[in-house]
């Protein structure tokens, strides 16, 4: 096994309660978190009221509240992607509640472009389907969260999950089909 990354070392320092570990970690991961949030926001509807910086800061606040026991870089970025996903879901729920349904349209994945994200996907229906997928197979749900919500490439997801790229590709194809079927119901 290789040497731990500087992020993993900073996570260990944070766990051990070092005084400025949270600030050093934030400075080290901010650009990557901002990149993930920015990638996801490119696929949101035009005029979205959340900005990538807001998502990063909200996710950071949630990540650093309470017990911070991430094992390594992959675990941390997985938690960050999940936090960003939840922020977007909560925002969509508030927006839908404000509009009393707001004419949300049920739109599914584009069959042809594997990495394409449709800005009109009903995030609430997607969240329900994703919860069902997580109950069915947690690894598949993780692949979807990292690919769809965090905007990671297959190679990045493979590195985060410790899987081969071919496994992640198969999981992504299967998970998309599974979600497509669930969202059609």
């Amino acid at each position: 096994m290789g040497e731990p990354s500087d992020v993993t070392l900073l996570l260990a320092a944070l766990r051990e309660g070092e005084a400025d570990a949270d600030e050093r970690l934030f400075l080290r991961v901010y650009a990557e978190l901002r990149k993930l949030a920015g990638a996801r926001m490119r696929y949101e509807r035009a005029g979205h009221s959340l900005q990538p910086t807001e998502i990063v800061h909200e996710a950071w606040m949630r990540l650093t509240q309470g017990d911070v026991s991430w094992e390594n870089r992959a675990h941390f970025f997985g938690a960050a992607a999940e936090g960003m996903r939840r922020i977007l879901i909560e925002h969509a729920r508030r927006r839908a509640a404000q509009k009393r349904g707001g004419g949300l349209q049920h739109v599914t994945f584009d069959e042809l472009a594997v990495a394409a994200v449709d800005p009109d996907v009903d995030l609430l229906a997607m969240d329900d389907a994703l919860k069902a997928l997580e109950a069915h197979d947690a690894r598949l749900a993780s692949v979807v969260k990292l690919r769809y919500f965090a905007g990671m490439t297959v190679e990045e997801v493979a590195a985060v999950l410790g899987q081969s790229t071919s496994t992640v590709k198969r999981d992504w194809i299967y998970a998309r089909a599974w979600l497509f079927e669930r969202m059609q119901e």
Side-chain angles (χ1 to χ4, degrees):
M1 186 179 269
E3 292 293 316
S5 74
D6 56 337
V7 172
T8 301
L9 294 174
L10 286 169
L11 291 169
L14 185 62
R15 267 192 318 272
E16 293 169 10
E18 286 186 25
D20 63 343
D22 59 342
E23 185 177 330
R24 289 183 298 151
L25 178 63
F26 183 74
L27 292 173
R28 172 60 184 87
V29 299
Y30 179 79
E32 288 181 77
L33 293 175
R34 178 75 171 71
K35 180 182 167 192
L36 291 175
R40 179 61 191 118
M41 293 306 296
R42 278 194 296 273
Y43 301 109
E44 290 293 318
R45 63 177 167 70
H48 198 288
S49 60
L50 287 177
Q51 296 297 315
T53 301
E54 293 174 287
I55 294 172
V56 168
H57 287 272
E58 178 67 25
W60 179 258
M61 286 175 37
R62 292 179 184 196
L63 285 167
T64 56
Q65 288 178 346
D67 183 33
V68 287
S69 58
W70 303 291
E71 298 169 17
N72 53 36
R73 181 183 194 284
H75 188 206
F76 173 79
F77 279 102
E82 174 66 13
M84 289 180 192
R85 181 186 77 82
R86 288 181 183 186
I87 290 164
L88 290 169
I89 295 299
E90 290 166 8
H91 185 268
R93 282 195 175 121
R94 282 191 303 273
R95 186 169 179 268
Q98 287 174 347
K99 291 187 171 188
R100 297 182 188 180
L104 293 175
Q105 184 179 10
H106 183 86
V107 180
T108 59
F109 292 103
D110 180 349
E111 289 291 317
L112 300 176
V114 171
V117 179
D118 191 333
D120 295 326
V121 168
D122 179 350
L123 283 180
L124 300 179
M126 171 68 129
D127 186 51
D128 290 341
L130 191 55
K131 285 177 184 173
L133 178 61
E134 194 160 29
H136 173 70
D137 188 320
R139 187 181 80 211
L140 293 176
S142 294
V143 169
V144 171
K145 289 173 187 176
L146 294 171
R147 287 278 289 141
Y148 186 81
F149 289 98
M152 291 183 174
T153 65
V154 168
E155 292 76 16
E156 291 169 331
V157 172
V160 166
L161 297 180
Q163 300 288 328
S164 69
T165 55
S166 58
T167 296
V168 171
K169 285 177 187 176
R170 280 192 308 273
D171 287 352
W172 176 238
I173 291 167
Y174 178 82
R176 280 180 18 121
W178 196 96
L179 289 169
F180 177 82
E181 184 177 311
R182 178 64 66 142
M183 291 175 73
Q184 290 297 310
E185 293 175 358

